[in-house]
């Protein structure tokens, strides 16, 4: 006996004005990415997309749950056929472009972001890396997939929530409102306490989609309210569009989303609520040009940022003409993607076969990205890399590839993000010198262990990378417990005479007085604690930072990359100005501690107040902010002289 065919699920009546709303959303985002100096708030188009997605998805869910014909498999099948074709094409294209254009570390990051894009967790990856508006964001071709991650995470969670609500016969509107309010509160709190999390976390973003869900419920089940507002539809549509224009012109990246996100979300709600016959919706949003842009909005969103990003990687600053040309190219690619890939796959039969193939291809693409990431960017792609001299290759090698770790037990050691590192000049003897700090201490240890080791010292590396300061009494729980234990161990070892402290500058010039005072207090507490046992402290100021991939300044590099060699040099003043608050604080503190000597790496790295990434036959920086093995050795020689002088 054959099974009855599954009922066809119901879908909302097509509204051309919603495609027009998609158009203004995507156009604002594209213009912001191409011309951020002109349109400071164009990024709010993403928030309008969130409202539209929440509205349309919830219309489908509410209606099909009410009719008893909702199917998870059908729902997710449609999402896969809608999203995967264009996404697969863009991910594959970025990989192919990156193969020829990107350096190993850049290709490695691209591979990681491909995994994030293919698994719809890009927002979590980017959350762990940096803020959306950081300058380095321009060199991340898949940065924009964070918003797709938010949407897909909503699509994974929301159908199950509503399905349970329907089974329990609870009120869907109340449940939706409660969850939306909780998400909004998280947004408001976190935008002040952790703005990067506020931007990328689904917990602080779901309320924007849930506003669309609330609107969907009202449209379906509170028709009397809609009829009351119908006479005001023209005014509502004009108000909604006005709010959008105000947001585009006024909103900036400060404290966003926060309260500011209400501008685009309320704008989206008003424009959808006004209906297709409202003045703005009828004359602007339903115009055939706007509808056309709405139809290609998804592939246009996917294409425009990689084109701009790869162009900036290759050329640096982009002229107005080139940016316009790239926008036109992204529109053309979006139209071809819509015609050739999206439409045929979304329509027609054999949906199960299509879905199976799309899922397998997405796994393959994600796996390819994972391979590039785990194989550290596939540096073999550069056939001419051996034009770099062996000593220069050594300077670019990762610290953990240098064979610097002796076997045996050396607790405590250095906690690297992915490993516990045991680094000590003579592992079977007690150390008399400790290099203590974060990954900058890791860089400094290489030279110090060699230079001090030649003088008969036994040097040990202690500390933790990834943002832990080498000071006691930190507010960050994980850092506080670990660093306190390490300092207590150092203090208890009578054989340890010298502690060399090195870490990256944690204070921006815009830091508040509270942050500076906390930094100063932790430093004083640590110095006083170590001086009780007569430890001599050598404090290394934070190194000047290259803020450029040094690999571009020497030897061969991928095709199409253009760099002015003058960029491989920079005045020391640039960095001392950036570190002004930090340096002033350090010098004020050390005045009170005669056992503390200060060493400025700039005296070695930047002779004559000019910093060069490559100096004669050596490389000074191995990446944007860590010094190379050669520079570490040069620095260590000066540190040794300083310790000898302070011992007299």
């Amino acid at each position: 006996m054959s099974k009855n065919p599954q009922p066809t699920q119901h879908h909302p009546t097509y509204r051309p004005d919603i495609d027009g709303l998609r158009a203004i959303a995507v156009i604002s985002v594209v213009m912001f990415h191409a011309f951020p100096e002109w349109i400071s708030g164009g990024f709010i188009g993403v928030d309008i997309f969130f409202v539209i997605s929440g509205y349309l998805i919830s219309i489908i869910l509410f209606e099909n749950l009410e009719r008893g014909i909702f199917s998870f498999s059908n729902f997710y099948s449609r999402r896969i056929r809608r999203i995967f074709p264009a996404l697969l094409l863009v991910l594959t294209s970025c990989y192919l472009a990156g193969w020829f254009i990107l350096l190993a570390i850049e290709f490695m990051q691209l591979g990681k972001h491909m995994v994030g894009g293919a698994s719809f967790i890009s927002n979590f990856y980017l959350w762990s890396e940096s803020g959306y508006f950081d300058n380095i964001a321009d060199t991340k071709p898949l940065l924009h997939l964070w918003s797709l991650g938010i949407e897909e995470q909503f699509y994974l969670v929301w159908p199950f929530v509503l399905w349970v609500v329907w089974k329990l016969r609870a009120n869907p509107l109340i449940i939706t409102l409660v969850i939306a309010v909780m998400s909004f509160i998280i947004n408001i709190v976190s935008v002040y306490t952790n703005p990067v999390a506020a931007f990328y976390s689904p917990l602080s973003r779901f309320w924007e989609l849930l506003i669309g869900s609330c609107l969907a419920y009202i449209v379906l089940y509170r028709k009397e309210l809609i009829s009351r507002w119908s006479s005001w539809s023209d005014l509502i549509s004009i108000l909604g569009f006005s709010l959008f224009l105000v947001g585009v012109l006024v909103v900036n990246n400060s404290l966003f989303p926060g309260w500011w996100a209400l501008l685009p979300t309320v704008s989206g709600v008003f424009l959808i609520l006004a209906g297709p016959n409202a003045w703005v919706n009828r004359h602007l949003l339903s115009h055939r040009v706007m509808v056309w842009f709405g139809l290609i909005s998804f592939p246009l969103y996917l294409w425009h940022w990689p084109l701009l990003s790869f162009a900036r990687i290759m050329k640096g600053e982009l002229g107005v003409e080139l940016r316009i040309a790239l926008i036109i190219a992204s529109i053309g690619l979006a139209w071809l993607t819509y015609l050739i890939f999206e439409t045929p796959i979304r329509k027609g039969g054999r949906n199960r076969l299509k879905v199976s193939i799309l899922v397998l291809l997405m796994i393959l693409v994600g796996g390819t990205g994972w391979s590039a990431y785990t194989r550290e960017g596939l540096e073999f792609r550069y056939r001419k890399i051996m034009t770099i001299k062996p000593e220069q290759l050594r300077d670019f090698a990762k610290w953990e590839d240098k064979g610097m770790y002796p076997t045996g037990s050396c607790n405590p050691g250095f906690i690297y993000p992915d490993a516990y590192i045991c680094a000590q000049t003579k592992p079977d003897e007690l150390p008399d010198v400790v290099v203590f700090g974060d990954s900058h201490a890791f860089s400094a240890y290489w030279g110090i262990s060699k230079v001090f080791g030649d003088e008969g010292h036994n040097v040990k590396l202690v500390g933790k990378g990834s943002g832990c300061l080498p000071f006691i009494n930190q507010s960050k729980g994980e850092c506080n417990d670990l660093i306190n234990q390490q300092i207590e161990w150092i203090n208890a070892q009578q054989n340890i005479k010298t502690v060399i402290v090195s870490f990256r500058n944690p204070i921006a010039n815009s830091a508040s007085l509270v942050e500076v005072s906390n930094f100063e207090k932790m430093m004083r507490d640590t110095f006083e604690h170590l001086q009780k046992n007569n430890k001599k402290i050598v404090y290394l100021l934070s190194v000047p930072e290259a803020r450029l991939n040094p690999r571009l300044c020497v030897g061969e590099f991928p095709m199409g990359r253009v760099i002015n060699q003058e960029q491989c040099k920079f005045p020391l003043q640039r960095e001392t100005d950036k570190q002004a608050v930090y340096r002033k604080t350090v010098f004020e503190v050390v005045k009170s501690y005669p056992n503390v000597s200060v060493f400025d790496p700039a005296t070695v790295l930047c002779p004559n107040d000019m910093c060069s990434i490559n100096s004669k036959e050596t490389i000074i920086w191995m990446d944007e902010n860590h010094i190379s093995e050669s520079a570490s050795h040069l620095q260590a020689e000066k540190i040794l002289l300083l310790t000898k002088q302070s011992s007299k």
Side-chain angles (χ1 to χ4, degrees), residues 84 120 124 133 176-177 250 277 313 326 329 338 341 356 360 398 402 460 475 532 594 600 610 647:
F84 279 33
F120 304 103
F124 292 110
F133 299 98
T176 304
L177 283 171
V250 173
N277 296 319
I313 290 170
L326 290 168
Y338 176 77
F341 289 90
S356 300
L360 288 174
K398 294 173 66 176
K402 295 179 185 288
K460 180 180 179 63
S475 58
K532 289 178 181 178
D600 188 352
M610 183 60 68
S647 299

Side-chain angles (χ1 to χ4, degrees), residues 180-252:
V181 169
M182 291 171 62
S183 174
F184 184 75
I185 292 172
I186 293 172
N187 155 57
I188 294 300
V189 172
S190 59
V191 80
Y192 293 100
T193 59
N194 192 340
V196 176
F199 196 91
Y200 286 119
S201 173
L203 295 179
S204 55
R205 287 290 198 166
F206 274 3
W207 67 273
E208 298 181 70
L209 293 108
L210 290 169
I211 282 182
S213 300
C214 292
L215 178 60
Y217 188 89
I218 291 171
V219 167
L220 288 173
Y221 304 114
R222 293 291 185 268
K223 296 185 184 297
E224 70 279 5
L225 295 177
I226 303 298
S227 62
R228 288 179 194 172
W229 297 334
S230 61
S231 60
W232 298 89
S233 61
D234 288 346
L235 181 60
I236 291 172
S237 71
I238 293 170
L239 180 58
F241 191 67
S242 299
L243 288 175
F244 168 74
L245 291 179
V246 170
V248 166
L249 297 174
V250 173
V251 175
N252 56 45

